[in-house]
Amino acid sequence: MSKKHFLKLLDFTEEEIKNLINLSAKLKKDKKLGIEEKTLIGKNIALIFEKTSTRTRCAFEVAASDQGAHTTYLDSSGSQIGKKESIKDTAKVLGRMFDGIQYRGYAQKSVEDLALYSGVPVWNGLTDSAHPTQIIADFLTILEHKGKLKGIKLAYVGDGRNNVANSLLVGAAKLGLDFRIVAPQNLFPEKKLMDICYKISEKTEAKLTFTDSIEKGLTDVDAIYTDVWVSMGETKDVWEKRINSLIPYQVNNKAMSYAKKNAIFLHCLPAFHDLETDIGNEIFKEFGEKELEVSDDVFQSKNSVVFDQAENRLHSIKAIMVSSFNN
Ligand code: CP
Ligand code: NVA
């Protein structure tokens, strides 16, 4: 049993999050064995993307198709959303036509309003402050490689107050991990969220650490996670400041050497690890850095599980949709 909407991990109990991870693993296995049962036949799903996406969009589309549902993609350029029609009115319209809505965009309030006014299940495919579907895939990946979640030492390095960091923090607090955010102090999560998570950790025995020390944060960890230094929706002019403060926090071989020998490397992707992207090239021309949040050798190493994570977006998003309709 789960909840109707999937808006943020704070809304879920430890048990509910574990159930979603377990269902993701089951659906993954069933698909590979060719015995997946279609439980969403005839459902229509709207996919709203105000920001770009590869994994999240593809995961929703393939998951829906695997389960017998149909999807409709809406972005801000080809729809009325935001420019001519409010989120509230859009919610009421889509709720009349669709059985479920995925939203990726800016304000967390938008996804909460869609849930409030549409009357159908709503899933958060990323906002400025949260990326909850990502964390179900990440935890499934850690479970597959490390065999457990409770007590696992996981360090998130870099922009410690972005959507991925916030959601990882909540997930880790709920599931009892030994979780560290390793970042300059001005990039720690908001104090309010840290306090909420400390409170959660009292019950779950999670251990939470916020530190600007690489050595303290990474020594003996089972897993190191990083994400881009500038997120979608942030302006270009923050790059310089962010690069200057985060270069010491790049996940490279030196950073990995603090961790356990068999530590895994995680990244939600997309990643700036080489010069094979337009933005990567622009940054190189302007600031002279070839690799940003992760070095190419760590990204390509045998410890890197980033493509397992990417695949697990499919299975976990499927689990989230299936659970919403069976709540
Ligand atoms: N990790 C993730 O959300 O990827 P996309 O931006 O490609 O959806
Ligand atoms: N923090 C990143 C995550 C992308 C999946 C962003 O919001 O751009």
Side-chain angles (χ1 to χ4, degrees):
M1 289 298 123
S2 192
K3 297 212 155 53
K4 176 174 175 178
H5 305 295
F6 190 81
L7 306 176
K8 57 185 185 303
L9 291 180
L10 280 174
D11 300 338
F12 287 77
T13 63
E14 178 180 0
E15 208 52 34
E16 286 168 335
I17 297 174
K18 279 190 197 156
N19 287 344
L20 286 171
I21 298 167
N22 292 339
L23 181 59
S24 311
K26 180 193 174 337
L27 290 166
K28 179 174 184 175
K29 198 166 153 211
D30 286 356
K31 177 168 168 134
K32 294 199 190 270
L33 292 171
I35 56 165
E36 180 173 348
E37 192 196 334
K38 290 184 198 291
T39 63
L40 304 183
I41 293 171
K43 300 251 186 271
N44 286 298
I45 310 293
L47 303 177
I48 305 174
F49 281 87
E50 295 187 323
K51 290 175 177 169
T52 51
S53 168
T54 296
R55 276 144 293 270
T56 310
R57 176 181 177 180
C58 295
F60 270 98
E61 294 203 6
V62 175
S65 160
D66 284 351
Q67 283 286 311
H70 180 268
T71 54
T72 299
Y73 178 78
L74 297 132
D75 66 15
S76 7
S77 63
S79 72
Q80 316 288 18
I81 299 167
K83 301 180 298 292
K84 284 175 72 181
E85 198 157 32
S86 66
I87 286 285
K88 187 171 168 180
D89 291 353
T90 304
K92 291 181 180 176
V93 172
L94 297 182
R96 299 285 183 112
M97 297 190 198
F98 290 93
D99 302 290
I101 302 169
Q102 184 281 162
Y103 174 82
R104 166 172 286 199
Y106 298 88
Q108 179 70 18
K109 186 174 184 306
S110 299
V111 77
E112 306 265 352
D113 280 352
L114 277 170
L116 201 59
Y117 297 109
S118 68
V120 297
V122 171
W123 308 291
N124 180 354
L126 181 147
T127 59
D128 289 344
S129 59
H131 196 9
T133 65
Q134 178 71 50
I135 280 44
I136 305 299
D138 299 339
F139 283 3
L140 173 62
T141 311
I142 294 173
L143 191 60
E144 288 171 341
H145 286 273
K146 296 288 161 198
K148 62 172 191 170
L149 287 164
K150 214 171 185 81
I152 281 286
K153 294 187 172 75
L154 167 66
Y156 174 93
V157 191
D159 180 4
R161 31 106 271 168
N162 76 8
N163 39 22
V164 171
N166 288 342
S167 293
L168 261 182
L169 170 59
V170 176
K174 294 238 171 193
L175 264 51
L177 277 75
D178 176 342
F179 180 67
R180 302 105 190 266
I181 286 202
V182 187
Q185 296 193 6
N186 64 332
L187 294 176
F188 281 179
E190 275 180 17
K191 185 168 179 310
K192 193 173 155 210
L193 183 65
M194 285 162 59
D195 288 345
I196 292 171
C197 291
Y198 275 131
K199 192 113 210 105
I200 295 169
S201 71
E202 286 167 14
K203 286 202 192 93
T204 62
E205 291 173 6
K207 195 167 169 235
L208 305 178
T209 308
F210 303 91
T211 178
D212 57 10
S213 158
I214 309 258
E215 189 174 348
K216 183 172 173 211
L218 300 190
T219 298
D220 211 27
V221 294
D222 301 292
I224 296 183
Y225 195 129
T226 191
D227 182 16
V228 290
W229 290 343
V230 175
S231 286
M232 291 182 279
E234 293 195 287
T235 51
K236 265 183 130 179
D237 57 349
V238 303
W239 268 112
E240 184 171 6
K241 214 169 145 203
R242 216 49 78 63
I243 289 176
N244 289 335
S245 54
L246 286 176
I247 270 291
Y249 293 86
Q250 181 185 74
V251 180
N252 48 32
N253 281 328
K254 171 124 202 311
M256 289 300 289
S257 73
Y258 290 107
K260 285 185 183 144
K261 250 202 156 44
N262 62 350
I264 52 174
F265 169 73
L266 297 117
H267 192 309
C268 56
L269 304 182
F272 292 117
H273 59 95
D274 60 20
L275 293 181
E276 291 182 30
T277 64
D278 293 345
I279 295 181
N281 263 296
E282 276 172 38
I283 299 292
F284 175 60
K285 278 185 199 129
E286 206 169 332
F287 306 106
E289 300 294 343
K290 283 191 177 145
E291 306 161 323
L292 296 177
E293 72 273 10
V294 55
S295 65
D296 195 48
D297 46 14
V298 169
F299 187 87
Q300 311 288 0
S301 70
K302 63 171 184 13
N303 301 56
S304 173
V305 297
V306 297
F307 297 109
D308 291 348
Q309 266 178 287
E311 178 192 332
N312 284 339
R313 298 299 308 289
L314 164 63
H315 311 298
S316 50
I317 279 172
K318 190 183 286 175
I320 291 163
M321 280 199 288
V322 166
S323 299
S324 287
F325 289 116
N326 295 303
N327 75 324

